[in-house]
Each structure stands twice: as C-alpha cells, then as structure tokens.
Amino acid sequence: MDAVSSSALFLGIDTGGTYTDAVLWSELAGVVAKAKALTTRHDLAVGISGAVDAVLETAAVDPAAIKLVSMSTTLATNALVEGQGGRVALVMIGFSQADLARDGLQKALGSDPVIFCPGGHDVHGNEQPLDLEVLKEALPALGTAVSSFAVCAYFATRNPAHEIAARDLIRERTGLPVTASHELSAKLGGPRRALTTLLNARLVSMIDRLAAATEGFLARRGITAPLMVVRGDGALVSAAFARQRPIETILSGPAASLVGAWHMTGLDDAVVSDIGGTTTDVAVLEGGRPRLDPEGATVGGFRTMVEAVAMRTFGLGGDSEVSLEDRGLTPRLLLGPRRLVPLALLGMMHGETVIGELERQLRAPNSGRMDGRFVLRTGVPDRLAAGLATAEAKLYDQITRVPQPLDRLLVSTAQNATLVRLVARGLVHIAGFTPSDAAHVLGRQTNWDPAAARLGAQLFARRRDGRGQPIATTAEEIAERVLAALTRFSAEAILETAFAEDGLDGAVTVAHALVQRAVDGHGGIARLTVALDRPVIGLGASAPLHYAALPQLVGNRCLVPADTDVANAVGAVVGQVRISVEARVSQPEEGIFRISAGDVIRDFIDEDDAMAAAEAEIRNLASDRAQAAGAGIAEIVMSRDVKSATVEGRRTFVEAILVATASGRPRIAA
C-alpha cells in the first residue's frame, strides 16, 4: 500500500447492462482493487454501492482519499440497441412530413408524437417567419404524455434563434427536459440532426437516474471528489455536462474499454472486441489511439451525428436471447439482438417461484413456444409509463416485480406485440435461456443458480426441428452448441469489422462464409483463408470463456488481459477532458462576412476581422465549456479550413470553418 498511499487515488465505475464494475486505481500502483455487483436497473444506486463498497473494503482505504470518480456506461448504447427509452415529443421547425422518411427518422420516432411548425432559416442564417401556435396548443396534452422534448429547426446550425424560442416556450409551459439540435452538432443535414436530438431526448431520464444514483451514493460515503463520465470518443466530461447531452455517452463503455485495452496491453495496433451481457463492441486501435468515425456513431441501426470511436456494435453477449431459425429441416441457433434476464440469475433472485414454473413446463408432454420465458417489471418510476395505449396499460397492470411465466400471462397472439412494446419502453424485462445459462449448465460459470439454467436448457432442447425431432438430447449438448455459436458469431463480428474498416462491400456475407468454412473444417472448391494483420484484444468478464477458440477463426492471436473484466472502469480513470467548438464564416452577399459560433450571429465588412472575431469567440466558448465539463488547466488548439475560389485572377472568399479544441486532465479534489 506504500505506492498507493503516495499517489492520488481514482475510482473508476462502469455501469453495464448486467454488471456494475468498480476499480480503485493509482498512477504508481495501477489497479489497487476491483469488484463487481449486479446492475440494478430499477435503482442503479444499489449496484453502484455494492461494487464500490466491495472495492473500498478490499483496498482498506479512506473514502475521503479518493480525488476523482470517473464512470463509463453502456446503458445508453444498450437502450438504443434494444429500442428502449422515454417517450419523446419531436418538434420540427421549417420541415415537412416528407423529411421524416430520411435518415431513419420515422423508424426512430415510432409512435411518439411529432409537431410541425413554420419557420427556420436559410443557409446563411436568414430568418423565415416563425409560428409556434400549433406547438402552444399541443403542449398541455403533451406535458403529461411524454418525458422530454426534442427540437430541430431548419438550418439551426447557421442560426439557432427559432430552436431557442421553442425550447424556452416548452420549458416554461411544461418544465420538462428539452434538447435543441444546435446544442449537439454543428453539422448540416436536418433529418439526421433531428434523429440525433430525438435519441438524446429519449436518453435524458436514463442518464439522469444514473448520475443521480452515483452522486447520492458518493455523498453518503463521504466521497467529495468530482464525478466524470466517459463520452463516446473516449474523452471525459462532468456528470452535469453528460446530463444535458446523454447521446454523447453512446459507446461510452466501449470507448473506455479501448483506452483500458491500450493501457493494459501496451499494443498500439489491435482489434479490440469487448463482450458484455447485451452487446459485443468491436473497434480498431491504430497507433495507440482508437479510430474515430467521421460520419458519426451508428448504434441500433441509426447513424447519429455524435463523434465517437469507429465502433461496430452487435447485439451479441452473454445474456443474448437464444432462439431458433424458423425454417429448414435443421434450424440454426440464433443469438440476440435482444437481451434477456438469464434464467440462472432469475432463479438466484426468485428461487422456488422460477424453479417450480420451469418444472411444471418440463412435465408437460409437449414443448411450448413460451416455455422457459418469464416477465417482470423493471421497477422504473411510474412517470416513465406515461402515454401507454389502452392495451399496453392493461397488460402492464398485470405484470409485477415477481416473475410470471409467459405461457400463463399471455392469452392472445396480439399480446406478444404489446409485450414487445413494453420491453422497448424499458418498463418490463423478459427472462429466458441465454449463453450465460449454457455456461452454468457446463460449470464454466458458477455465480448464479445452475438448477434454473439446467431446467431452461432442458426445455430449449425439447424444441422440434423440421423433421419433428428434438433439437438436442441433453442439456449439455444444447449448452455446448450455444457457446460454440457465440464464439462463431464473435469471429464473424470481428471479421466483418475488419472488412468494413478496409472499405470492402459485402462484409457480412464474406465474414459469415469464411467463419463457417473454418468451423466445418473444409475450404470448398475455391479455397479461401483470411487472417487479421494484428492481434485481437478480448475484453469482458466472459472473454476468457468465449474467446478461447477465436485464433483459429480469425488467423491471429487473442490476448485477454488480467484485468479484462474491469477494462471499462480502468479506461474511465485514465482519460482527458476534450471539448471542440466550431465556428463558420460565410459570405451571404459580396462584402459581408457572417460568423456563426454557438448562439452568436454577427456580420463584418472585413474578412480578417470576421476570422479574428470567430476565433476569439470559439476560444472563449471552448475554454468555458471545458471548464463546465470538468477540466483543470485546458490547452486550446485551433484549426482553420478556408475555402476560396479564383475568378478571373481575383480571389473570392467562399467559406471558412474554424475549430477550437480544449483538452486537459480533469480537476481533482484537493
């Protein structure tokens, strides 16, 4: 403990879909202690306190000695992958109904309400008449039907005045959280900016609960250190900053894991595959830094405007739903993308209730489609159930915190779709057979209830193939096949990512074919082999189990670090605050140079004066935002991209984009 006592202590926390990890770290000693606890979605403070209390007890340190707390989370990523989040009202200013069909906006909106108002601006920031009467009339009803609002105006990145007017009106009339698109991105592309804003608003309550739970626990333990959150690009921001922009925490956990992977292995070039309970995240380390996605992060099938690591997220994890392909004489096993509560975990929490129902189903002469499936409430606040349809509210009232078997709860096929919508809202959990259960059956995982896992495996093995025969004869047989499938799908995900990074089309098809040939042990008439040019770093508590057979499928070695189970938490404490602010200088008419920076719109008659004013404005904004994001001493770096044209020998200014980036280590407690 001498090395520990002589250097500052940092507490890293990662709140994942299944586990909450905590690690105590110091610059001299590295990982001092680590611990895990189950993530408790109904009250996140329970899981956080369990992990942090355990790590403090192991390290035997005074909580007051902790100088910084930093947290990464996969909750936002998992919510988008699983289609969860609060109900949001989208306000579109200057757009039409046709714009909903672009960039997946209509799909993301689903059944949530949308309001169209006249207004917006042109490319130079000139105003079109604004009329918010439709919004004013809708607010009384929307105020009790949604949990937050998203506002996007036409060319708001060039002039945010109309978004600000709508935002202020909504806050005044409803008191609900409001996200304005210009606060999230300076990029053009209205529908995609609206999509990003909608998803941000949907995540507000979730991240707010996480931050509040963490802050409350820290205060009760006497930890006064600043609380930071990892963004999707690996940078750190204050919890207050993350509350306003939760969309920026998508891929937060994976970004932290990349930083942790580099820190723990020292490999500058690698493919990093991080397997959790809900997702597998694959990214590339190049020269010791994660590749960033210049087009914005893609999660859950939606391309956002959030700058984040170039990460491909697959709905594949230890708690993935195990299902059967509905065709062919020998149906394939399918995994994910939906996460289920593993039966082993459900059995540990609810004991005889779960075991008794599984045994009842196993005594039936024939297997049923809902065998081994349960439903229970997540325990989120009742206000998040606002706006349920009649059928949804009726079914939700029947579901309790005690797990109920689906074969006794659902009485019609229509109720299946209703249940799926409740899951999507984050109001209920479905429990069922998962790879985690398969690992318990084979004794390769032992932390939950193996009896419930075995009963679930036996029920799943009774399912029939196209010939009418059971798909497996024993629980062990189906468990082995499930774990082999998870390794195979993991290899496909890694190769698909590699092909995509190389710009190759058809990545999914090629990856599947190559892995299938490797598994089958023959190359076909056209012998094809593939090998990665760099090793794989396997992260996640289950990586040693699921990645042991990876090398033969991807053609390179796979390293699993000693602290792989807490890589995200380690990565959370070694990052920096980094904030970028963009200004644009345009020439709406000859001789007029207009700057647009944040909420500021100003005209100049001299190009140099406009450029100087734009730089000064964003320098101040970057410095202020870095301080608000929790930075100590921040260094500011400027970049300029000036576009001009030469016409008849005369230079003509077209446009300039200036970016100020402020970065520095976070402030720590005295």
Side-chain angles (χ1 to χ4, degrees), residues 348-616:
M348 183 186 74
M349 298 171 66
H350 296 279
E352 294 181 1
T353 299
V354 174
I355 297 296
E357 292 293 348
L358 292 173
E359 289 177 339
R360 172 185 62 81
Q361 293 172 348
L362 201 56
R363 287 194 297 268
N366 299 307
S367 63
R369 292 183 63 86
M370 297 183 189
D371 283 356
R373 294 294 178 98
F374 295 82
V375 64
L376 68 162
R377 288 194 180 196
T378 60
V380 298
D382 289 340
R383 60 183 174 82
L384 297 182
L388 290 180
T390 302
E392 295 167 349
K394 182 178 179 181
L395 182 59
Y396 186 57
D397 287 341
Q398 295 176 266
I399 300 171
T400 68
R401 295 292 302 280
V402 177
Q404 300 174 65
L406 291 189
D407 65 342
R408 288 188 165 175
L409 176 70
L410 303 184
V411 296
S412 68
T413 303
Q415 284 187 310
N416 280 318
T418 303
L419 181 62
V420 169
R421 292 195 294 272
L422 293 177
V423 172
R425 289 285 299 272
L427 300 174
V428 303
H429 287 312
I430 294 179
F433 186 59
T434 68
S436 294
D437 294 305
H440 276 82
V441 170
L442 298 172
R444 299 174 192 173
Q445 187 174 338
T446 58
N447 49 325
W448 299 332
D449 181 4
R454 174 170 292 278
L455 289 170
Q458 289 173 319
L459 284 168
F460 197 86
R462 295 206 310 170
R463 298 196 180 190
R464 305 286 174 171
D465 61 17
R467 302 180 182 87
Q469 299 298 313
I471 61 171
T473 56
T474 65
E476 286 77 10
E477 180 187 347
I478 193 63
E480 289 281 9
R481 287 173 56 187
V482 167
L483 295 186
L486 182 52
T487 301
R488 184 177 75 247
F489 290 143
S490 297
E492 290 182 16
I494 290 168
L495 291 177
E496 180 183 330
T497 300
F499 290 142
E501 286 291 322
D502 288 340
L504 299 177
D505 294 330
V508 178
T509 302
V510 175
H512 173 70
L514 288 171
V515 172
Q516 191 60 52
R517 288 188 177 190
V519 171
D520 292 344
H522 61 77
I525 296 174
R527 292 188 176 181
L528 298 174
T529 59
V530 66
L532 296 175
D533 73 337
R534 61 197 68 197
V536 174
I537 301 175
L539 301 180
S542 62
L545 169 62
H546 299 309
Y547 289 172
L550 264 185
Q552 67 190 55
L553 301 179
V554 300
N556 211 317
R557 60 195 174 116
C558 178
L559 284 76
V560 180
D563 293 312
T564 185
D565 54 332
V566 290
N568 293 22
V570 171
V573 297
V574 296
Q576 287 194 329
V577 175
R578 187 172 59 254
I579 297 293
S580 293
V581 180
E582 180 178 302
R584 188 178 300 267
V585 181
S586 61
Q587 191 171 199
E589 57 184 89
E590 189 171 359
I592 299 296
F593 299 90
R594 177 168 295 166
I595 72 169
S596 173
D599 295 348
V600 175
I601 307 291
R602 293 174 61 191
D603 289 343
F604 294 81
I605 59 174
D606 181 81
E607 177 185 338
D608 291 338
D609 289 346
M611 295 289 285
E615 178 171 332

